[in-house]
Amino acid sequence: MSKANLFYAQSGGVTAVINASACGVIETARKHSDRIGKVYAGMNGIIGALREELIDTSKESDATIAALRHTPAGAFGSCRYKLKSLEDNRAEYQRLMDVFRAHNIRYFLYNGGGDSQDTANKVSMLSLKEGFPITCIGIPKTVDNDLPITDNCPGFGSVAKYVAVSIREAGLDVASMCESSTKVFVMEVMGRHAGWIAGAAGLASEQEGDAPHIILFPEIAFDKASFLRRVKHCVNQYGYCAIVVSEGARYDNGQFLADAGGKDAFGHTQLGGVAPFIASMVKQELGYKYHWAVADYLQRAARHIASGTDVAQAYAVGKAAVEFALAGKNAVMPTIVRKPGDKYDWEIGEAALADVANVEKPMPRDYITEDGFGITETARRYFSPLIKGEDYPPYKNGLPQYARLKSVLEKKQLPDWEAR
């Protein structure tokens, strides 16, 4: 009987280090070629499995796979595609099983957030019912840092570093011009229901008067009057006010400050535009000249300033996922465990996918100052080690050099699939 093959896919919003996890998966699998045949990567995530578009990673050189470690975004393509329940759309699950059977895939490693862990868990349960057991391992990934159980999520440390550096540099810019020009700067960062990214920007403030002066979290209901008082105080005290606002900032009734009115593929409210909303409010109520910026994709694609800790952890969870699978573990996800002690150290743990799927972890209240506009020393101790260390990509002619894949597809064995 031929050796079992492995299917790896990337899902959801990509990060600066998700490819480091892919590198960990593929390099580790190659070291166990006596037990693992080919490693297939789904073209555009789980959609690649449904369409039977399987990238044969054996066609890539060791050097190219190694280069994934310093390459941002999703090298194989990602997707926002959530499988419905088995009862609502059995055909999709059956298609996955048919593709896995056709290519003797017995290992399924899904690199993503809570929705992705839910998918991996569902496939694991169905495969047992179908009599074609597939070992399913989740690999954590999300810049939002909102997966439960794991201390932090690969992808977060690098975006945290990016926003802290960005608000520090922008703050210096505004401070130098505020006497006769801009007095308020607003930077919008990601974070739908959890303010981890916005909170990490607080690391830039090391002494009184440093930017950011105000952070708006999803966990703290927005109060217009207290916010405007704080803005006015900062301008009077420091000459300017630098604000970081999470895209998920909301009112006391739960309504987002910036609700774009649509839904994404996972059914989440489409957000965006909270920075200009806040900036316009300041202008209208206080009359200050302002500028605003949206970090958007830049914050999650910035591999040139990635956290060394984040890169190491992203690779480690990819490596651990293969090792878990070979050890016979199923429906679990490697986690990052922070060891106790004053010196930061970590190790790999594990969590059941059923305990991770569709659960969001907000920032603890004791990480946010009493006034709701900053981070506490407890938060600072949590965030600080996650952004430490530099892991620069190689440069050529002044530009970073990233992996370029051949992306050779395996020959299809089944009829084309059409979504239902």
Side-chain angles (χ1 to χ4, degrees), residues 191-357:
R192 177 179 302 277
H193 297 131
W196 296 102
I197 298 176
L203 290 173
S205 178
E206 293 180 337
Q207 61 185 41
E208 176 70 21
D210 286 351
H213 305 113
I214 297 175
I215 303 174
L216 300 179
F217 303 91
E219 292 86 353
I220 303 296
F222 178 75
D223 181 87
K224 181 177 177 180
S226 62
F227 166 70
L228 291 172
R229 283 195 300 271
R230 177 67 175 168
V231 172
K232 188 173 183 179
H233 166 78
C234 291
V235 172
N236 290 338
Q237 187 78 14
Y238 313 121
Y240 75 108
C241 182
I243 302 163
V244 172
V245 55
S246 171
E247 64 181 351
R250 67 193 71 205
Y251 295 105
D252 190 46
N253 64 3
Q255 179 185 353
F256 293 111
L257 271 63
D259 184 338
K263 301 286 184 180
D264 68 13
F266 290 149
H268 302 147
T269 299
Q270 196 74 41
L271 300 179
V274 70
F277 175 84
I278 288 293
S280 295
M281 178 189 297
V282 168
K283 175 66 175 179
Q284 182 177 354
E285 299 291 337
L286 301 176
Y288 297 136
K289 183 177 180 179
Y290 66 81
H291 273 267
W292 56 267
V294 181
D296 200 45
Y297 285 8
L298 300 178
Q299 65 198 299
R300 73 186 197 195
R303 181 58 183 81
H304 66 286
I305 197 173
S307 153
T309 299
D310 196 24
V311 175
Q313 291 177 340
Y315 184 92
V317 295
K319 177 176 181 287
V322 176
E323 293 171 343
F324 280 11
L326 291 176
K329 297 180 180 182
N330 193 17
V332 297
M333 179 189 82
T335 62
I336 297 165
V337 178
R338 185 180 298 227
K339 294 183 179 181
D342 294 334
K343 183 180 179 182
Y344 178 70
D345 197 9
W346 58 276
E347 63 186 0
I348 295 294
E350 67 179 83
L353 291 182
D355 295 334
V356 176

Side-chain angles (χ1 to χ4, degrees), residues 8-73:
Y8 164 83
Q10 299 172 326
S11 178
V14 294
T15 79
V17 300
I18 188 173
N19 288 331
S21 293
C23 180
V25 167
I26 298 169
E27 288 189 340
T28 305
R30 287 184 175 186
K31 292 177 181 177
H32 295 278
S33 58
D34 57 324
R35 298 181 61 190
I36 299 175
K38 288 188 176 183
V39 175
Y40 295 119
M43 178 176 282
N44 301 317
I46 198 69
I47 292 175
L50 293 169
R51 293 176 177 168
E52 200 183 0
E53 294 175 342
L54 311 179
I55 297 171
D56 182 357
T57 67
S58 70
K59 304 298 184 182
E60 310 292 348
S61 68
D62 288 346
T64 297
I65 296 302
L68 289 175
R69 186 177 175 121
H70 61 253
T71 299

Side-chain angles (χ1 to χ4, degrees), residues 58-100:
S58 70
K59 304 298 184 182
E60 310 292 348
S61 68
D62 288 346
T64 297
I65 296 302
L68 289 175
R69 186 177 175 121
H70 61 253
T71 299
F76 304 106
S78 186
C79 67
R80 294 194 184 277
Y81 189 93
K82 183 174 182 178
L83 271 69
K84 298 178 182 178
S85 68
L86 181 59
E87 294 74 21
D88 291 337
N89 197 344
R90 186 177 182 85
E92 281 188 331
Y93 290 90
Q94 191 59 57
R95 172 66 177 188
L96 287 177
M97 295 303 301
D98 290 344
V99 170
F100 289 164

